[in-house]
Amino acid sequence: MAEPADADAGPRNVPRRSLTAARGVAEPADADAGTTRDSAARVRELQAMLNHHSALYYAGRPEIPDADFDDLLNELKALEAQHPELVHPDSPTQRVGAPPDDTVFAPVRHDQPMMSLHNALDLGELRAWNERVHRALAAGTAGPSGEQALPTMEDTSVGAYAVELKFDGLAISVRYVDGVLVRAATRGDGRTGEDVTHSVRTIADIPIRLSGPAPPVLEVRGEVILRLSTFEALNARQAERGEKAYVNPRNAAAGSLRQKDARVTAERGLSFWCYQLGHAQGGPAFNSHMQTLEWLASLGLPVDEHGVCLDDLAAVEAHVTDYERRRHEFDYEFDGLVVKVDDLALQAQLGVDAKAPRWAVAYKFPPEERTTKLLDIEVSIGPSGQATPFARLEPVFVGGVTVATATLHNEDQVAAKDVRPGDTVIVRRAGEVIPEVVGPVLSERPEGSEPWAFPRDCPVCGQPLRRAEGMSATQCANYWCPRQIRGRIEHFVGRAAMDIEFLGERNIDRFVTAELLRDVVGLYSLDYEKIEQMEGFGEISVNNLRRSIEDSKHRPLSRLLFALSIPEIGQVNARVLAASFGAIDSILEADEEALAEVEGFGPIIAASVRAWFDDPHNRDLIEGLRAAGLRMEAERPGGEGEGEALPQTLAGMAVVVSGTLEGFSRDGAKQAILARGGSSPGSVSGRTSALVVGADPGASKLRKAESSGVPVIDEAAFQQLLETGRLP
Ligand code: IVH
């Protein structure tokens, strides 16, 4: 994995004295003339200042430029070099910017093994674990002679269960002596891990010094993770630097921790959750696991607040099911929950086996990432001629469904991921519905494989595919490509467009194949005699079809504009366009500037509309439709479709919709908001009035709403909002 540029680079031209003077800090003691007492005081002062600024820096709120920070740090380093007795383990010189250290990754033998957990892959396995626990405890109390009958579940109680998130990161053990962090190690093989103290010291969540009365020796265990927001920012930086993206937060966290240069780790912004007391010498005595966590939290260690204590297995089952449903609402990944017998005496009685404790189990969610074989990359042609590459996969069960195909979006995405037919690839299907190919498993790439090349010709019509400069999409440029002919007609007759009943995809296909139909104008001069002869048609069905096609001539202009498959013109833009120009002839005459002025349009949409109306095929189409008698002008305001005045309940409000609603299409919900005077931006910000969530909402929108305090409402509340303008 390529490493980013040196984190040390930054502006460093601010004179040190200006900073110290401006902040009213004592001038540094002259190195030669300073007494040890002066030096000691200055060292303490510098340590305090640097710790303060480094906390702000890692919290993303730096108060001073990097160069000022570096000057203070250099001053401290110089003083510490002169007076090594003043170097303290919690000095910032030991924490950030420590130079690469040859002793990193030295083996560390764990005093107590860092064990793994047994898994429960569904509720049945969770119940089976619970039963084993009950039996083991009952057997333990039955006495050595074993004269009693086989114990049953009811015979004994395990007391409460502690239930915590199972963080998907990297387990580490952190050792404090007299309250100061002295060593951190990875799990390794469970007995021996790697020394990652230098990296762990840079993790802002992990205190270098414990708060409160600390025991002489304390060893805690927990998980190093990367928050999703931090992960996304890291990948954005990787992309800026032309480096490869990390595949998931877990890998990125592992890569960040196992850095020789702690400055790189520091830059990554790792987080930590402490979930287990390893060993304490001279600490208070505890009865339960939960008490130990509370104590660890009181020492300043980050303990996850989602941990709960539950009385019986039914409550545990409800809890894990609830978190499984909500797992994508969080800013970090967890791949299940850990259920632990809370009572420490019972834990001791249950003990451990070779691999894991008997007193705990990991309830694992179905995996959202799996590997499978990429059989081939094919290209599908969309109704508007867009050529989209997609992966044909050996079917794999991931995220709760069997996935056999996954979109690869466009040529650049395939190149960026460098996935090739024959590769073993990681497939991900998480919160969102659409499965994604994350990337190849390079170690399993077959020898001699070549990067995939986009096909030159359309798989439907055989004509050349084209990619316009500056565009990511590849298109079949053949206006008469059968897929596009069908696509345009299918869209035109659709419910939200001209709403022509009795003409589904199958019959469109038949009519096109029989050369009864080649464009939407042809709908208005269909040869009904021939159709009546076709299998499945009779007098009644032909009359129905004829009538619904006749009816469509009276649809409002906004519907027609939407029906024409003009790129960028969905239902909402079509309404705005109709309302702004009033007639198709005015649009034909409008220049790009005038189009760009239309509310919500701008130069890109304007150019796309202009290009469409300038295409001779489309000019012919419009003239054909005009001749057929379709409405080419908007009705006066108040008529059907255009400009009807609804109460402006949402004036000044920004309402974002995410996920699938039952009563609205995506565009329909947006339209309903706009029609009532509101706006409906594509993303959540601090100015958003409400986030409406349907089924499968986007995780990032939810997170953003949660962090910005934007009310999140369901469909019923949305209906109410539309009517009244008020939130519940
Ligand atoms: S307790 C002796 N609690 O899961 C039991 N582990 O699959 C120690 N993990 O190696 C583990 N969250 O890295 C525990 N709340 C949690 C956890 C957790 C994540 C990890 C840990 C462990 C792995 C086992």
Side-chain angles (χ1 to χ4, degrees):
M1 219 164 283
E3 295 313 327
D6 192 338
D8 216 6
R12 20 188 106 249
N13 48 6
V14 180
R16 177 190 60 200
R17 276 165 199 276
S18 66
L19 172 74
T20 48
R23 288 175 189 269
V25 179
E27 289 290 302
D30 188 315
D32 296 329
T35 65
T36 305
R37 227 184 54 213
D38 286 342
S39 303
R42 179 63 182 162
V43 162
R44 275 199 304 279
E45 186 175 52
L46 285 167
Q47 287 176 344
M49 280 169 72
L50 284 161
N51 276 335
H52 169 75
H53 287 300
S54 113
L56 288 174
Y57 177 78
Y58 288 117
R61 295 180 278 113
E63 277 175 1
I64 60 170
D66 293 357
D68 291 26
F69 184 90
D70 289 348
D71 280 342
L72 294 171
L73 191 62
N74 287 337
E75 187 193 339
L76 179 61
K77 278 185 191 160
L79 277 171
E80 286 182 345
Q82 277 179 340
H83 306 283
E85 74 281 6
L86 298 176
V87 182
H88 201 269
D90 73 349
S91 166
T93 56
Q94 309 298 301
R95 182 175 180 127
V96 202
D101 178 350
D102 287 341
T103 63
V104 290
F105 307 149
V108 172
R109 193 161 170 88
H110 302 298
D111 286 345
Q112 276 134 4
M114 286 183 79
M115 300 198 90
S116 165
L117 289 169
H118 289 299
N119 291 334
L121 300 182
D122 53 38
L123 293 178
E125 293 191 6
L126 180 63
R127 281 173 212 145
W129 166 79
N130 186 49
E131 237 160 272
R132 284 198 302 277
V133 166
H134 276 85
R135 283 187 209 288
L137 289 175
T141 52
S145 55
E147 67 259 25
Q148 289 190 359
L150 217 57
T152 65
M153 284 272 291
E154 285 68 38
D155 290 343
T156 185
S157 160
V158 306
Y161 302 86
V163 188
E164 300 156 5
L165 303 188
K166 183 176 188 306
F167 300 103
D168 200 6
L170 218 74
I172 59 164
S173 144
V174 189
R175 190 178 170 88
Y176 290 88
V177 173
D178 293 328
V180 176
L181 191 163
V182 293
R183 201 178 65 196
T186 61
R187 189 169 92 99
D189 64 4
R191 297 226 149 254
T192 309
E194 288 175 326
D195 189 328
V196 284
T197 314
H198 66 296
S199 298
V200 165
R201 279 191 210 278
T202 72
I203 300 177
D205 280 356
I206 302 183
I208 292 280
R209 178 181 277 283
L210 296 174
S211 50
V217 178
L218 175 69
E219 197 235 303
V220 294
R221 284 154 186 206
E223 200 88 347
V224 171
I225 60 148
L226 253 194
R227 288 178 179 273
L228 287 168
S229 47
T230 315
F231 169 69
E232 280 156 22
L234 166 62
N235 269 351
R237 284 205 303 278
Q238 292 285 96
E240 265 170 37
R241 293 166 172 172
E243 305 279 359
K244 240 179 139 53
Y246 282 99
V247 163
N248 59 38
R250 216 193 74 80
N251 284 3
S256 304
L257 193 66
R258 296 186 75 267
Q259 287 287 337
K260 297 236 167 191
D261 185 346
R263 289 168 296 189
V264 178
T265 315
E267 193 200 32
R268 298 289 171 85
L270 291 167
S271 301
F272 177 72
W273 292 113
C274 175
Y275 53 65
Q276 192 77 25
L277 170 61
H279 166 71
Q281 220 174 66
F286 299 106
N287 296 323
S288 78
H289 171 68
M290 275 305 193
Q291 282 172 0
T292 65
L293 290 188
E294 276 160 29
W295 177 58
L296 294 176
S298 78
L299 296 175
L301 288 157
V303 173
D304 179 43
E305 65 210 16
H306 295 93
V308 291
C309 208
L310 299 169
D311 283 337
D312 54 44
L313 198 74
V316 173
E317 287 181 21
H319 183 80
V320 299
T321 312
D322 182 40
Y323 272 76
E324 181 163 354
R325 190 175 49 76
R326 291 174 42 208
R327 65 185 292 199
H328 294 292
E329 294 171 19
F330 294 74
D331 193 28
Y332 41 80
E333 294 193 325
F334 53 102
D335 58 347
L337 289 101
V338 183
V339 184
K340 300 174 180 171
V341 170
D342 192 39
D343 187 310
L344 295 180
L346 295 182
Q347 281 191 6
Q349 205 178 321
L350 286 159
V352 300
D353 62 26
K355 177 193 161 213
R358 293 196 189 87
W359 43 262
V361 72
Y363 173 82
K364 294 274 291 263
F365 301 146
E368 297 193 313
E369 274 186 9
R370 294 283 301 274
T371 57
T372 189
K373 243 300 177 293
L374 174 59
L375 301 174
D376 205 357
I377 300 177
E378 294 175 25
V379 164
S380 77
I381 304 296
S384 56
Q386 187 154 325
T388 306
F390 69 95
R392 201 167 277 296
L393 304 162
E394 205 156 86
V396 59
F397 190 73
V398 56
V401 297
T402 300
V403 170
T405 58
T407 177
L408 290 165
H409 302 287
N410 57 46
E411 186 174 16
D412 290 345
Q413 290 266 329
V414 183
K417 290 178 175 163
D418 186 20
V419 282
R420 309 174 181 186
D423 271 348
T424 296
V425 292
I426 299 167
V427 176
R428 180 176 173 83
R429 183 180 179 275
E432 62 284 353
V433 184
I434 299 171
E436 182 196 5
V437 174
V438 179
V441 181
L442 288 176
S443 57
E444 303 207 9
R445 171 162 284 170
E447 251 178 66
S449 94
E450 295 277 333
W452 181 76
F454 212 96
R456 289 155 168 265
D457 300 327
C458 170
V460 178
C461 70
Q463 297 290 306
L465 293 172
R466 282 205 198 111
R467 180 171 170 189
E469 205 171 331
M471 303 294 273
S472 56
T474 305
Q475 289 278 136
C476 167
N478 172 20
Y479 187 84
W480 299 114
C481 173
R483 178 69 194 102
Q484 290 189 57
I485 294 178
R486 280 189 286 117
R488 285 190 293 267
I489 299 170
E490 281 161 17
H491 177 73
F492 189 85
V493 306
R495 182 97 69 86
M498 301 304 269
D499 194 15
I500 297 176
E501 273 180 290
F502 308 109
L503 191 54
E505 281 182 24
R506 203 176 76 92
N507 280 329
I508 291 174
D509 193 23
R510 288 172 79 197
F511 293 177
V512 171
T513 310
E515 295 186 358
L516 288 168
L517 191 58
R518 66 197 302 257
D519 61 20
V520 298
V521 177
L523 288 168
Y524 298 97
S525 55
L526 278 175
D527 187 338
Y528 290 105
E529 274 174 28
K530 278 210 182 125
I531 291 174
E532 209 175 315
Q533 247 103 87
M534 291 173 82
E535 208 192 300
F537 278 98
E539 204 184 317
I540 297 177
S541 52
V542 165
N543 280 341
N544 282 340
L545 177 62
R546 191 203 298 264
R547 189 171 34 77
S548 78
I549 289 178
E550 267 318 294
D551 284 351
S552 75
K553 291 181 179 171
H554 311 293
R555 302 277 178 258
L557 177 61
S558 59
R559 294 267 216 129
L560 175 60
L561 288 170
F562 171 60
L564 289 172
S565 301
I566 306 168
E568 310 285 347
I569 301 300
Q571 281 174 276
V572 175
N573 282 347
R575 278 176 74 109
V576 182
L577 200 56
S580 309
F581 289 93
I584 230 165
D585 286 334
S586 314
I587 306 175
L588 281 167
E589 284 159 19
D591 59 18
E592 260 184 65
E593 264 169 40
L595 287 162
E597 307 255 289
V598 172
E599 202 199 318
F601 272 33
I604 294 176
I605 300 183
S608 152
V609 172
R610 192 62 266 151
W612 192 89
F613 279 97
D614 284 342
D615 184 326
H617 288 301
N618 298 331
R619 293 244 168 197
D620 287 351
L621 194 73
I622 288 167
E623 291 322 312
L625 293 172
R626 193 198 303 275
L630 272 71
R631 284 244 316 265
M632 296 280 146
E633 279 166 22
E635 278 194 349
R636 55 188 167 69
E640 188 211 345
E642 277 112 43
E644 65 224 86
L646 284 166
Q648 299 294 289
T649 44
L650 301 186
M653 291 177 95
V655 182
V656 179
V657 182
S658 183
T660 315
L661 301 179
E662 279 176 14
F664 298 86
S665 65
R666 194 167 286 276
D667 243 8
K670 195 169 178 183
Q671 215 171 346
I673 295 163
L674 298 191
R676 286 162 182 81
S679 66
S680 185
S683 59
V684 175
S685 76
R687 291 185 300 279
T688 307
S689 318
L691 171 67
V692 182
V693 293
D696 287 318
S700 64
K701 286 199 177 109
L702 269 170
R703 278 203 302 276
K704 184 75 214 230
E706 218 168 62
S707 63
S708 320
V710 170
V712 178
I713 61 174
D714 64 9
E715 185 165 351
F718 175 50
Q719 287 282 11
Q720 202 182 323
L721 178 68
L722 289 172
E723 278 164 35
T724 63
R726 279 191 296 275
L727 289 163

